[in-house]
Amino acid sequence: MQVWKDYQAENKDRFLDELLALLRIPSVSADSRYNEDTRKCAEAVKQRLQEAGAENVEVCATAGHPIVYGEKIIDPSLPTVLVYGHYDVQPADPLDLWHSGPFEPVIKDGNIYARGSADDKGQFYMHVKAFETMNKTNTLPCNIKFMIEGEEEVGSANLGIFLKDNKERLKADVVLISDTSMISLENPSIDTGLRGLSYMEVEVTGPNRDLHSGVYGGAVANPATILAKMIASLHDENNHITIPGFYDKVQTLSDEDRKALNAAPFDEEEYKKDLGVDELWGEKGYTTIERTGIRPTLEVNGIWGGYTGEGSKTVLPSKAYAKISMRLVPDQDWHEISDLFAKHFEAIAPKSVKVKVTKHHGGSPYVTPTDAVAFKAAQKAINATFGKDPIPVRGGGSIPIVALFEKELGLKTILMGFGLDSDNLHSPNEKYGLENYYKGIETIPYFHQYFAEMSK
Ligand code: BES
Ligand code: MN
Ligand code: MN
């Protein structure tokens, strides 16, 4: 629409400056040293929502970081879109690998470099600016509610409670989220699903204290060696996961669905080159697209124990640890999988060590129905600004709250992400393309327009 185009062209620089200001607030949810900044960030989001024209804007306290809520109800008889996003970010470390400060955004080669630029400040803020565009040009076609949380990166534990307590306030027809990626700006895509997650920590204890590795080594089991063996045994020679019952509830896709999934453009050589690996790895019998979308996986996120400082120290450590997560697909239940993991890990421990398994957070997988009106509206919106239909793909990441939107509020979710897999999410030098940012702001109003029209 021309009025949108004009408004966005006139305000282009301000749209960017405002995002950069948000990126300067280090809202790291995992680290309590940033609690004050995280709260400040929530206040900033509140102010920006108010300036854009949202009403009843509130920073809602939770047992953890606050949730920012705001809305614009133009006519209760019109459809309502609930926009979800998160203003919290992952820790920035390792700091020395950043080319510029993680909270001092820099624009280079058409990208905004900063922690949270793509995940998710740059993406949720597109919705604030798209809303402003529609609101200030008096073209809002439906009601909008915003719920921007501060604990997504740490498992959204308090958001579930907020949903239960605010069912009336959050009443809507669909949830819209930009917190995923596209294949590329040339090959726009929409995620039709997210994987679930089960996150565990294990502690393996050998002798009751650290020992001299020359005096005792060879006579006492080294917990680091045992842990390495136990972890290695979690995949078999075909890279299938060996936990009994792990695959019992995994939905298998029809040959037709698998074919459609694999029709998405994917350049294996380019992929390997980008990652600096000579060969790919994964579950036998599945393509890379399938391994990262429709199949469950198990990854070691961290492993430590013994001496890891400068130089050398000859020691047989008393303890070794690992953080292990599993990505889940329909219909795996994350509580059940966590239990299966714990049981198996305890069962495979030799008598020479003791094992303690702790469960961290988790979440259920989600699949978007592609025949839903809202999905069609998203497809049409992308076509309106990219000039081609988006390719449906399965996202490999997790947004645990999405399954709860369905369970608690009965709402389907549309994952209209504008990031790229190469945006370095959770990694040093996170970036978000300026073009992705502006394209998102341009596309989102069309979603609201088409969703309102097609819901009639
Ligand atoms: N935005 C991501 C999820 C994502 C990224 C989905 C890319 C699809 C493609 C989200 O912020 C995230 O990082 N989620 C975590 C889970 C959470 C419980 C910490 C994840 O996927 O590891
Ligand atoms: Mn995110
Ligand atoms: Mn994230």
Side-chain angles (χ1 to χ4, degrees):
M1 246 209 305
Q2 198 57 42
V3 278
W4 293 344
K5 244 194 162 123
D6 293 344
Y7 185 87
Q8 292 175 353
E10 276 158 35
N11 294 282
K12 199 169 183 234
D13 294 341
R14 179 174 55 83
F15 284 3
L16 178 59
D17 289 343
E18 289 173 4
L19 172 59
L20 299 184
L22 271 189
L23 292 171
R24 287 189 190 102
I25 310 175
S27 47
V28 181
S29 52
D31 189 339
S32 59
R33 286 174 299 175
Y34 294 100
N35 281 358
E36 187 52 28
D37 291 301
T38 305
R39 200 193 52 76
K40 270 191 202 144
C41 192
E43 289 295 338
V45 173
K46 172 186 169 177
Q47 204 184 333
R48 291 291 150 73
L49 275 171
Q50 279 171 332
E51 287 162 8
E55 290 161 5
N56 302 318
V57 188
E58 194 188 322
V59 173
C60 309
T62 73
H65 301 300
I67 295 161
V68 188
Y69 178 83
E71 62 185 23
K72 178 87 185 190
I73 310 295
I74 51 165
D75 177 352
S77 69
L78 285 173
T80 301
V81 177
L82 175 60
V83 174
Y84 163 85
H86 62 95
Y87 67 81
D88 67 319
V89 300
Q90 287 272 328
D93 56 283
L95 280 178
D96 50 326
L97 295 182
W98 283 79
H99 302 315
S100 51
F103 301 106
E104 292 152 27
V106 164
I107 296 178
K108 214 176 86 190
D109 306 327
N111 290 305
I112 311 163
Y113 283 88
R115 171 57 87 231
S117 53
D119 186 10
D120 178 43
K121 286 174 177 170
Q123 295 218 60
F124 89 71
Y125 205 62
M126 299 181 313
H127 287 270
V128 181
K129 296 300 98 178
F131 164 66
E132 179 191 313
T133 303
M134 295 182 281
N135 190 46
K136 302 273 154 124
T137 57
N138 292 312
T139 52
L140 204 59
C142 59
N143 305 309
I144 301 194
K145 296 179 175 180
F146 285 94
M147 181 172 67
I148 313 297
E149 74 151 319
E151 295 189 303
E152 196 278 340
E153 299 292 10
V154 290
S156 303
N158 294 298
L159 190 62
I161 302 164
F162 187 79
L163 296 189
K164 277 201 182 90
D165 292 347
N166 291 275
K167 286 196 172 160
E168 196 53 40
R169 171 147 68 155
L170 299 174
K171 252 199 173 136
D173 295 282
V174 73
V175 178
L176 179 63
I177 304 179
S178 296
D179 191 23
T180 51
S181 26
M182 291 194 147
I183 297 173
S184 64
L185 288 171
E186 296 71 41
N187 291 303
S189 58
I190 299 190
D191 278 6
T192 56
L194 291 163
R195 288 194 288 186
L197 184 72
S198 155
Y199 203 109
M200 315 291 290
E201 182 161 341
V202 298
E203 178 190 291
V204 177
T205 307
N208 60 9
R209 60 190 187 276
D210 282 5
L211 303 173
H212 188 291
S213 65
V215 176
Y216 288 97
V220 179
N222 183 320
T225 310
I226 302 290
L227 174 60
K229 280 194 177 191
M230 288 170 76
I231 287 175
S233 80
L234 296 175
H235 288 101
D236 69 11
E237 67 281 7
N238 293 321
N239 298 328
H240 288 295
I241 294 156
T242 55
I243 300 168
F246 184 82
Y247 291 101
D248 283 3
K249 294 198 174 162
V250 170
Q251 266 185 25
T252 42
L253 264 67
S254 66
D255 287 349
E256 197 188 357
D257 285 348
R258 283 181 73 178
K259 218 175 133 195
L261 202 69
N262 285 300
F266 176 72
D267 184 337
E268 188 168 315
E269 287 312 311
E270 199 46 48
Y271 189 81
K272 287 195 291 192
K273 207 173 128 213
D274 176 51
L275 301 175
V277 296
D278 294 331
E279 200 182 325
L280 296 181
W281 179 97
E283 191 183 4
K284 197 176 171 185
Y286 296 93
T287 64
T288 299
I289 287 180
E290 292 171 334
R291 288 168 179 172
T292 56
I294 57 162
R295 297 296 294 171
T297 55
L298 180 149
E299 295 299 331
V300 179
N301 300 272
I303 177 165
W304 70 102
Y307 186 67
T308 55
E310 193 184 334
S312 63
K313 177 189 179 191
T314 45
V315 63
L316 192 164
S318 166
K319 286 176 189 288
Y321 308 81
K323 291 187 192 277
I324 299 172
S325 66
M326 291 157 281
R327 297 284 169 174
L328 312 177
V329 300
D331 294 318
Q332 286 177 301
D333 176 281
W334 73 272
H335 296 286
E336 225 169 273
I337 293 292
S338 301
D339 287 339
L340 288 178
F341 176 93
K343 208 171 118 204
H344 179 65
F345 211 75
E346 280 155 12
I348 60 173
K351 279 217 175 75
S352 52
V353 297
K354 290 178 196 72
V355 163
K356 197 171 105 191
V357 182
T358 318
K359 293 175 200 168
H360 286 278
H361 54 77
S364 304
Y366 181 75
V367 175
T368 302
T370 50
D371 55 359
V373 167
F375 187 79
K376 295 196 170 128
Q379 281 179 311
K380 204 171 160 192
I382 287 180
N383 192 308
T385 54
F386 286 81
K388 47 173 111 164
D389 276 340
I391 301 159
V393 299
R394 288 286 195 98
S398 309
I399 308 176
I401 201 64
V402 169
L404 286 183
F405 288 143
E406 174 136 61
K407 190 168 162 241
E408 299 296 343
L409 307 175
L411 296 178
K412 302 283 184 209
T413 292
I414 303 301
L415 301 158
M416 201 163 69
F418 292 89
L420 300 177
D421 281 346
S422 55
D423 280 340
N424 297 327
L425 310 180
H426 298 196
S427 175
N429 306 308
E430 179 177 347
K431 66 171 173 69
Y432 192 43
L434 283 173
E435 209 180 325
N436 300 61
Y437 180 58
Y438 287 123
K439 206 76 180 161
I441 298 174
E442 189 190 338
T443 306
I444 291 163
Y446 286 99
F447 171 85
H448 292 278
Q449 189 192 336
Y450 296 141
F451 181 61
E453 277 173 21
M454 291 159 84
S455 299
K456 273 179 197 155

